[in-house]
Amino acid sequence: EGSKSTVPTVDDFERELEELLVDDLPTVPEGVHVVYFAIDASTSISDADFNRQIDAYLAVVGRVIPKHFGDVAIGVNVFGAAARTVFPLQLIRSRADVDRLRALLRSLKTTPRNTLNGGAGTHTGDAINLAQQSILDSPFANAINRTIYVSAFGQPLSTPDARDATRRAEQAGT
């Protein structure tokens, strides 16, 4: 898909995700749409901007994913100085799965960010690498459609580690 260094509006994000999921892929692990969210929890963004990211994911997950039960696998990590998985990559089969994902996303807004981000710094490359490894270690490693959405503020995709991680993910088909 290529890397994007802009933060889309909620409507743009919803439209992009809907277009991604519109393909009617076979109902086998290779036919699942893999969507991995990497969310910037670094200390360089304000609480308001962090919450705005979460609100965008909540809106899009609530509106788009229920139309595609059984066709999409989602994973989530947060990053700052380090990246960590907060929602392991899994197939979303029902409203209950969406509700669990949305509850986790909502909880990020009230979790002290210093417990999420691993300290000062914005290591976007680590988040991309963690997402890619999570995909490759999953039953969906050979999925036809694998996408990592990185939401971050500033120029985090322009750093050498982020460019290298993006290039490796793209070469692997993500």
Side-chain angles (χ1 to χ4, degrees):
E1 291 288 324
S3 62
K4 296 179 182 169
S5 60
T6 59
V7 177
T9 66
V10 173
D11 289 339
D12 291 340
F13 183 32
E14 183 174 349
R15 189 172 28 262
E16 184 176 322
L17 189 58
E18 191 68 67
E19 288 172 9
L20 172 75
L21 298 177
V22 77
D23 294 333
D24 189 19
L25 299 175
T27 310
V28 294
E30 295 81 10
V32 169
H33 298 277
V34 175
V35 178
Y36 206 101
F37 301 141
I39 302 172
D40 185 349
S42 66
T43 56
S44 62
I45 65 170
S46 69
D47 289 340
D49 285 341
F50 177 73
N51 289 337
R52 199 168 30 158
Q53 287 180 101
I54 302 303
D55 290 340
Y57 284 115
L58 284 166
V60 170
V61 165
R63 290 193 302 247
V64 175
I65 302 306
K67 300 174 191 174
H68 303 281
F69 289 143
D71 292 333
V72 63
I74 296 180
V76 180
N77 74 35
V78 293
F79 67 96
R84 73 176 235 214
T85 300
V86 293
F87 191 83
L89 185 62
Q90 58 197 273
L91 190 62
I92 304 299
R93 293 185 169 108
S94 67
R95 171 56 66 184
D97 292 338
V98 169
D99 291 346
R100 274 188 312 105
L101 173 55
R102 293 186 83 225
L104 173 276
L105 291 169
R106 275 192 300 278
S107 77
L108 294 176
K109 292 171 74 169
T110 58
T111 302
R113 235 171 329 132
N114 64 341
T115 65
L116 293 175
N117 63 24
T122 307
H123 295 256
T124 310
D126 291 347
I128 296 167
N129 289 332
L130 177 60
Q132 179 64 13
Q133 194 59 53
S134 297
I135 293 167
L136 294 176
D137 291 343
S138 78
F140 314 109
N142 294 318
I144 296 166
N145 196 338
R146 301 181 312 233
T147 303
I148 300 169
Y149 284 96
V150 178
S151 63
F153 289 82
Q155 297 293 323
L157 294 177
S158 65
T159 62
D161 73 310
R163 283 194 309 269
D164 290 345
T166 299
R167 184 180 34 74
R168 283 190 304 274
E170 289 172 343
Q171 287 172 343
T174 300

